[in-house]
């Protein structure tokens, strides 16, 4: 009887998302705080489309509704979102390049938010009820749009990422801040242990 070769055991990488090398970077990864530069006119190419497509893959795998480029370590002013968080509802997919806010409602609302870069926690954040936005599509065309309600909230959260701002910066009450502090300390400990390279996506 021939000696059988032992089966090959492959390491499973829990942060790996099929179809992309991108993964969600977790707090306190420095990419979340780094400056994000404008996408130049000559960058509206297949590479940018590929980035947006792969960001959706990561977002859906992480069960998120939105993702900003710095969260996958790309410090450019680009965000993707899908208010239905479902790849079958692809018609709801939105990609915004170089977005900026041109008007906001006076009225604000305080509601709970979470972020893929801060798994396992949430906090109350004040947001405008609506925002008017100018942005570019993946083909470079400029457009204007008004977002209201749930979509306005998603947009404002992702927009903050493009300015290096994360939602914990906007938690207003001391009580709320205290609630999230223990989890933030854990995330810092994990980051120091695993290092920037050993990060896994929020799944
Ligand atoms: Co976020």
């Amino acid at each position: 009887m021939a000696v059988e070769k032992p089966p090959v055991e492959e390491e499973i990488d829990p942060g790996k998302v099929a179809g992309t090398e991108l993964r969600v970077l977790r707090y306190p990864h420095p990419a979340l705080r780094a400056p994000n530069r404008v996408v130049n006119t000559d960058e509206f190419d297949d590479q940018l489309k590929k980035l947006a497509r792969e960001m959706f893959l990561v977002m859906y795998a992480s069960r998120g509704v939105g993702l900003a480029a710095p969260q996958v370590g790309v410090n450019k002013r680009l965000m993707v979102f899908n208010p239905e968080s479902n790849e079958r509802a692809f018609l709801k997919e939105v990609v915004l390049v170089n977005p900026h806010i041109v008007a906001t409602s006076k009225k604000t609302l305080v509601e709970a938010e979470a972020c893929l870069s801060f798994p396992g926690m949430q906090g109350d954040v004040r947001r405008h009820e609506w925002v008017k936005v100018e942005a570019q599509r993946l083909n470079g065309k400029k457009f204007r749009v008004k977002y209201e309600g749930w979509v306005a909230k998603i947009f404002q959260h992702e927009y903050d990422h493009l300015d290096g701002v994360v939602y914990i910066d906007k938690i207003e009450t001391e009580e709320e801040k205290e609630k999230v502090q223990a989890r933030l300390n854990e995330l810092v400990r994990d980051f120091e242990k695993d290092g920037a390279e050993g990060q896994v996506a929020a799944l």
Side-chain angles (χ1 to χ4, degrees), residues 30 42 53 56 59 79 88 99 101 106 126 145 154 158 167-168 181 183 188 200:
D42 62 352
R53 179 44 38 209
F56 276 118
M59 189 193 86
M79 67 165 80
R88 276 170 293 185
I101 295 172
K106 278 215 179 69
R126 183 178 299 281
V145 62
I154 297 170
E158 303 311 334
Y167 82 100
I168 56 159
Q181 196 53 54
R183 180 58 185 148
V188 171
V200 297

Side-chain angles (χ1 to χ4, degrees), residues 66-68 71 114-118 157-158 161 165-167:
L67 192 65
Q71 290 183 278
C115 178
L116 294 177
S117 296
F118 296 77
H157 177 110
E158 303 311 334
H161 277 299
V165 173
V166 288
Y167 82 100

Side-chain angles (χ1 to χ4, degrees), residues 4-61:
E4 278 183 44
K5 272 199 274 182
V8 178
E9 291 179 0
E10 250 180 88
E11 296 294 326
I12 294 171
D13 175 353
K16 180 88 178 77
V17 175
T20 179
E21 294 302 315
L22 300 178
R23 60 183 58 213
V24 177
L25 303 177
R26 290 181 173 188
Y27 175 85
H29 195 290
L32 297 172
R33 296 299 197 184
N36 295 294
R37 68 166 182 80
V38 165
V39 175
N40 295 320
T41 316
D42 62 352
E43 289 178 288
F44 287 83
D45 54 11
D46 287 348
Q47 192 106 358
L48 197 69
K49 289 194 185 94
K50 182 172 178 278
L51 171 63
R53 179 44 38 209
E54 293 188 15
M55 282 172 61
F56 276 118
L57 292 179
V58 171
M59 189 193 86
Y60 291 129

Side-chain angles (χ1 to χ4, degrees), residues 26-142:
R26 290 181 173 188
Y27 175 85
H29 195 290
L32 297 172
R33 296 299 197 184
N36 295 294
R37 68 166 182 80
V38 165
V39 175
N40 295 320
T41 316
D42 62 352
E43 289 178 288
F44 287 83
D45 54 11
D46 287 348
Q47 192 106 358
L48 197 69
K49 289 194 185 94
K50 182 172 178 278
L51 171 63
R53 179 44 38 209
E54 293 188 15
M55 282 172 61
F56 276 118
L57 292 179
V58 171
M59 189 193 86
Y60 291 129
S62 315
R63 301 187 193 289
V65 292
L67 192 65
Q71 290 183 278
V72 293
V74 178
N75 286 112
K76 293 182 188 177
R77 301 188 72 83
L78 183 147
M79 67 165 80
V80 303
F81 60 86
N82 182 337
E84 299 204 7
S85 185
N86 179 347
E87 52 205 310
R88 276 170 293 185
F90 60 89
L91 293 175
K92 300 284 169 72
E93 288 181 353
V94 176
V95 181
L96 300 181
V97 188
N98 299 332
H100 57 271
I101 295 172
V102 293
T104 58
S105 62
K106 278 215 179 69
K107 190 176 174 194
T108 57
L109 301 164
V110 176
E111 282 177 324
E113 284 184 22
C115 178
L116 294 177
S117 296
F118 296 77
M121 55 180 278
Q122 60 170 53
D124 283 348
V125 182
R126 183 178 299 281
R127 301 289 186 189
H128 297 287
E129 194 178 36
W130 58 256
V131 286
K132 281 184 188 163
V133 173
E134 279 180 8
Q136 283 168 280
R137 301 186 207 282
L138 279 172
N139 61 11
K141 286 242 168 70
K142 288 185 181 164

